[in-house]
Amino acid sequence: MAAPRALAAARRVAGRGWRGVGGGGGARPGRSRLYEHVREGLSARPQLEVAALSERELERRRGPLRGVDLRQIVQTWSRLGEVRDSIARLEAEKGQVAQGVRALMASHDKNTAEALPAYAALRARGRQIRLQLQALLAEEAALDERFYLDALQLPNRTHPEAPVGDESQARLLEVVGEKPVFDFRPKGHLELGEGLDIIRQRRLSHVSGHRSYYLCGAGALLEHALVRFTLAKLLAKGFLPMTVPDLLRGAVFEGCGVQLNASPSPVYNIDPSRFEDLCLAGTSEVGIAGYFMDHAVRLEDLPIRVVCSSTCYRAETDTGREPWGLYRVHQFTKVEMFGVTAAESGTESEALLDEFLALQKEMFSELGLHYRVLDMPTEELGLPAYRKFDIEAWMPGRDKYGEISSASNCTDYQSRRLNIMYTDGAGQLQHAHTVNGTACAVSRMLIALLECNQLPDGSVRVPAALQPFVGQAVLTQPPAPLLRYIGPNQPRGGRQVA
């Protein structure tokens, strides 16, 4: 969308803060790591279609921008086009002036040519063009920066059937299974895990901070069992296994629709004094998208289905919401599904989203979970999702459903920012569509499995699908815990040394 001269001009204005376009979206960040990435020539320029988004859609989404901002972004883009057209005309005229000067110099000796009125007129016009180009190139760079720093915060379009509103407006699509019935008071997963000596979350603030935890013994085996069970299922379905970096550049996050400059930030940033631009990924979706960034795939290879197991890092800062247990933690293991598909008919990504949802239901049903499927409303879609389905499992210890997975169709939102392309039937490059879905978020799966399969004595049944990986049919309480706390917070002041 921008010529190399715009990049050069943008570099000349590097370091300037964002001037803003006003509007109802409130204060916006002073930088975009994706824009900086592109400006430095490290990636292709995002190909954004701002005119495809309506003000009505924008008002229904939860994000930093409102309808008035969209109007001003479109105006900025329109003016940028006008400026670039003017630059192109002046560049063409500049070439004609140079050609005229060369023709005079070729047909006359130097002194005679320079004395001609035509020569003086051409030189004067050349100076005017240079001054006009200088001003227009500066305006182009300023408009380019203004456009991208705002336009990159716009959300995707919205599926026409998506419910409108906040999470209370989620549409119930399906309920699978039955709630477990107990003839005793069911325990929560943390109480069960501590009784089985497989989860430790207490007395860790001095070790790893709040919202951290240890899984040991059968707890660790359950985590590995869930990962192995999920991978085995998806590999049999033709998924490509992948291992991705946990540390990624901010440009990739922003290309996926993660707003790094939100307050509070949703991601962990690595010390910028040592590493200029590295963040810990909250999902392997970012790393997989980065794998395809600035690459094209063949139409005959689509759709590409990727599965990745990774450690996910989340900056959960709302300590007032469930500070204990595994529901909101800073680090957990997750198996992610990611798909890259064509857009020849426009329905390919919707079909892949349905496929991912069917796979989630198949796996959760085989694990014996009771769950419900929700069509998520506009305010819960984030920036990249065109449509999103959530699955919530019943968690008896919480006495309510809890989200265990989501699946999103991001259409071409991520591919336009990250330059993920495919070659169509005519051999032309087109923007691919991307789809993602949680196959297994281990920490929340453990909550549902432990709480739904508990027995009166505090032991827990292992689902049949996981027993080959765990090696046990029932997790029972050990005769004594592995550890006894001897720290300083004891009635007699801690460990007594003879």
Side-chain angles (χ1 to χ4, degrees):
M1 293 170 71
R5 60 176 175 272
L7 287 175
R11 291 191 181 96
R12 290 195 292 272
V13 297
R16 285 189 289 111
W18 181 81
R19 294 167 303 286
V21 297
R28 258 92 71 188
R31 65 179 298 200
S32 164
R33 301 191 199 186
L34 179 55
Y35 182 73
E36 294 168 6
H37 202 70
V38 169
R39 190 177 61 196
E40 294 303 317
L42 299 175
S43 182
R45 209 165 192 76
Q47 305 290 308
L48 308 180
E49 281 192 328
V50 295
L53 185 67
S54 71
E55 290 185 36
R56 185 180 184 186
E57 286 180 300
L58 187 56
E59 292 290 347
R60 289 175 170 178
R61 304 284 287 242
R62 179 185 296 170
L65 305 183
R66 300 268 61 87
V68 63
D69 298 303
L70 179 60
R71 290 197 297 273
Q72 295 187 41
I73 290 170
V74 172
Q75 290 171 5
T76 300
W77 179 248
S78 177
R79 175 56 186 163
L80 184 57
E82 294 172 358
V83 168
R84 286 174 175 162
D85 288 342
S86 297
I87 289 173
R89 287 193 298 270
L90 285 173
E91 291 281 11
E93 187 180 354
K94 179 182 175 182
Q96 293 171 357
V97 168
Q99 186 177 2
V101 170
R102 286 194 297 270
L104 288 175
M105 297 301 292
S107 59
H108 301 81
D109 62 73
K110 184 174 183 296
N111 291 333
T112 301
E114 291 179 350
L116 294 173
Y119 178 86
L122 287 171
R123 292 297 300 269
R125 181 54 184 157
R127 285 190 293 271
Q128 289 177 338
I129 290 174
R130 283 195 296 273
L131 290 174
Q132 288 176 306
L133 280 175
Q134 184 178 358
L136 286 171
L137 287 170
E139 185 179 2
E140 179 191 30
L143 289 168
D144 184 78
E145 181 184 35
R146 184 188 303 174
F147 170 75
Y148 277 106
L149 290 183
D150 245 5
L152 287 171
Q153 297 179 80
L154 289 170
N156 198 352
R157 295 174 295 110
T158 306
H159 192 284
E161 295 181 15
V164 177
D166 60 16
E167 60 182 342
S168 67
Q169 301 303 308
R171 181 185 298 124
L172 180 63
L173 298 179
E174 186 178 4
V175 177
V176 179
E178 301 291 337
K179 290 182 182 179
V181 178
F182 304 98
D183 56 5
F184 58 92
R185 182 192 67 83
K187 300 177 181 178
H189 68 282
L190 188 57
E191 184 180 0
L192 288 165
E194 288 177 338
L196 296 169
D197 203 18
I198 61 174
I199 301 175
R200 177 185 164 194
Q201 196 175 45
R202 304 186 191 280
R203 301 189 181 96
L204 290 181
S205 60
H206 67 302
V207 176
S208 52
H210 295 289
R211 296 187 182 276
S212 60
Y213 61 97
Y214 281 80
L215 298 177
C216 60
L221 291 178
L222 272 174
E223 173 171 308
H224 292 298
L226 283 166
V227 172
R228 292 170 65 190
F229 164 78
T230 307
L231 286 175
K233 281 287 181 184
L234 297 180
L235 291 178
K237 303 289 186 180
F239 278 69
L240 172 70
M242 188 176 290
T243 300
V244 302
D246 289 336
L247 288 168
L248 296 152
R249 289 187 177 273
V252 188
F253 285 83
E254 290 187 5
C256 287
V258 179
Q259 295 294 291
L260 297 174
N261 295 313
S263 182
S265 175
V267 303
Y268 288 107
N269 289 274
I270 304 302
D271 183 1
S273 66
R274 296 186 60 199
F275 305 97
E276 182 180 356
D277 178 24
L278 284 176
C279 305
L280 282 168
T283 170
S284 60
E285 171 193 345
V286 181
I288 303 171
Y291 178 83
F292 290 97
M293 183 178 183
D294 292 318
H295 282 80
V297 294
R298 301 185 306 168
L299 178 62
E300 53 265 38
D301 291 331
L302 296 176
I304 297 175
R305 303 169 181 85
V306 178
V307 58
C308 177
S309 174
S310 71
T311 302
C312 302
Y313 303 89
R314 302 283 177 92
E316 294 279 6
T317 56
D318 188 356
T319 55
R321 297 177 63 189
E322 303 183 78
W324 292 99
L326 305 186
Y327 196 80
R328 296 189 184 277
V329 290
H330 289 306
Q331 175 182 329
F332 60 95
T333 299
K334 178 161 72 81
V335 183
E336 181 78 359
M337 298 181 288
F338 189 91
V340 178
T341 188
E344 298 292 279
S345 68
T347 62
E348 291 92 339
S349 56
E350 292 192 51
L352 192 58
L353 176 66
D354 290 340
E355 178 186 324
F356 280 14
L357 179 63
L359 287 169
Q360 291 170 328
K361 291 165 56 180
E362 177 182 334
M363 290 184 287
F364 299 156
S365 294
E366 190 166 341
L367 291 172
L369 296 179
H370 166 59
Y371 60 87
R372 62 185 186 182
V373 183
L374 303 174
D375 188 359
M376 298 307 291
T378 53
E379 292 184 21
E380 296 298 313
L381 298 180
L383 293 184
Y386 173 67
R387 194 176 197 183
K388 184 173 77 160
F389 298 122
D390 278 6
I391 292 182
E392 295 181 341
W394 180 250
M395 299 177 178
R398 304 172 75 239
D399 195 30
K400 59 182 178 180
Y401 290 95
E403 180 191 340
I404 59 171
S405 77
S406 67
S408 300
N409 179 7
C410 298
T411 61
D412 60 356
Y413 184 90
Q414 294 174 332
S415 65
R416 286 185 172 276
R417 286 154 176 75
L418 297 176
N419 193 36
I420 302 173
M421 311 290 284
Y422 73 95
T423 49
D424 64 13
Q428 300 297 311
L429 287 176
Q430 305 291 343
H431 286 98
H433 282 202
T434 59
V435 178
N436 66 79
T438 307
C440 178
V442 169
S443 56
R444 293 193 178 181
M445 290 291 286
L446 286 176
I447 295 174
L449 291 175
L450 291 174
E451 293 182 358
C452 288
N453 291 285
Q454 60 181 297
L455 300 172
D457 61 356
S459 58
V460 174
R461 291 188 302 268
V462 178
L466 299 181
Q467 290 178 15
F469 303 106
V470 178
Q472 301 176 58
V474 178
L475 307 183
T476 58
Q477 294 182 335
L482 178 65
L483 299 178
R484 179 174 62 89
Y485 184 62
I486 57 170
N489 301 320
Q490 297 294 290
R492 292 191 298 168
R495 183 167 63 96
Q496 303 299 310
V497 180

